[in-house]
Amino acid sequence: MTILIPGLDIIAAPSPNFDDRFQPISMIVLHYTGMQDAPSAIARLRDPEARVSAHYVVAEDGVTLRLVDEDKRAWHAGKSHWRDWDLVNDVSIGIEIVNPGHEFGYRPFPDEQIASVIALVASIKERYTITRGNIVGHSDVAPARKRDPGELFPWHSLARLRLALPRPTKNLMDPMWSEAGFLLALERFGYDVTEPMAAIMAFQRRFRPELIDGEIDAECRMILLALLLPKPQGDD
């Protein structure tokens, strides 16, 4: 299945690591590759022994590869949960963004790369009518295991185009939840809270990246409450 995406010239680089999809697509999951360079990451995603893949890889210069057709299930999220789904691969498109990640020298994402990510996400979101709340990071769906795409990923660039939820900044109120109340709200929003600190840090990494300490404070409570309202409002 060949899909033309406006603004992108996509290079086919098929991976054997996929299987059939039996559920409709309702999510986009963004990752970083977390390897020393792009060739190493692409080779691993195409290695049948690795048993990992993604639908797309976006290089730092914006070049975009298609590894798995969207109508197939790529193996990118692993053990995961978001909202009603425990097997996120079943319902998602996985996008790997080339970046060495926290282990090999995490760095900001170049503008050319983010421009390609935006074009790709916009196309997928429109074609499958995906809600902003279901455009997430790997750390959101696997908080105990993953940190990608990480605190340097410019979610605000996607949010201002309505391609992701904004960080709420307006009409904020502190609901004064207890720790248990905050975790219940976090679970309602979509996170797996089996490991509470990991879930809190994943939430902070996504919505309050300047301070990722696993502590529930007034700002975290206010942001989460706003996100649970029908139309969270931010500066993006």
Side-chain angles (χ1 to χ4, degrees):
M1 180 179 66
T2 301
I3 296 172
L4 300 178
I5 296 178
L8 288 181
D9 292 323
I10 296 179
I11 300 170
S15 170
N17 300 333
F18 65 88
D19 51 18
D20 289 332
R21 187 192 290 281
F22 298 104
Q23 300 291 341
I25 293 165
S26 61
M27 290 181 63
I28 299 170
V29 182
L30 303 183
H31 308 250
Y32 63 41
T33 51
M35 297 187 70
Q36 291 177 315
D37 53 45
S40 299
I42 293 165
R44 177 171 171 77
L45 293 165
R46 299 177 70 199
D47 179 357
E49 293 187 2
R51 298 189 63 79
V52 293
S53 62
H55 293 90
Y56 297 96
V57 177
V58 182
E60 289 184 298
D61 61 2
V63 170
T64 303
L65 308 181
R66 178 185 288 116
L67 276 61
V68 175
D69 287 344
E70 292 178 8
D71 61 348
K72 300 298 184 181
R73 192 180 80 130
W75 305 337
H76 59 97
K79 184 180 179 182
S80 51
H81 171 86
W82 186 251
R83 297 184 170 170
D84 295 330
W85 288 101
D86 287 324
L87 297 172
V88 168
N89 284 342
D90 289 356
V91 296
S92 64
I93 299 289
I95 301 173
E96 289 277 0
I97 306 165
V98 173
N99 187 292
H102 292 84
E103 187 174 353
F104 296 109
Y106 190 42
R107 57 182 179 240
F109 298 81
D111 291 344
E112 298 87 350
Q113 187 177 42
I114 295 304
S116 292
V117 170
I118 285 172
L120 187 55
V121 169
S123 174
I124 296 167
K125 179 180 185 292
E126 180 178 4
R127 284 186 284 110
Y128 299 105
T129 320
I130 297 173
T131 65
R132 292 185 297 165
N134 278 350
I135 300 173
V136 296
H138 199 187
S139 60
D140 295 315
V141 304
R145 299 187 300 111
K146 297 295 180 179
R147 291 185 285 174
D148 56 312
E151 59 275 8
L152 297 180
F153 184 76
W155 285 104
H156 57 87
S157 297
L158 278 68
R160 67 169 58 107
L161 297 171
R162 299 189 64 80
L163 300 177
L165 286 171
R167 172 180 177 164
T169 57
K170 300 176 181 178
N171 305 318
L172 298 181
M173 298 178 293
D174 187 353
M176 301 296 292
W177 288 317
S178 64
E179 179 178 348
F182 181 88
L183 290 171
L184 282 172
L186 195 59
E187 185 176 37
R188 179 185 172 193
F189 182 61
Y191 285 88
D192 176 1
V193 299
T194 304
E195 297 191 28
M197 181 169 286
I200 294 163
M201 293 178 71
F203 173 77
Q204 292 172 334
R205 185 169 282 111
R206 171 67 179 82
F207 291 105
R208 208 271 304 276
E210 67 275 10
L211 179 59
I212 306 168
D213 59 4
E215 298 290 331
I216 300 168
D217 56 25
E219 187 174 39
C220 290
R221 293 191 298 265
M222 290 190 291
I223 289 171
L224 180 54
L225 175 62
L227 287 167
L228 289 168
L229 297 176
K231 294 183 179 180
Q233 297 184 44
D235 298 325
D236 298 318

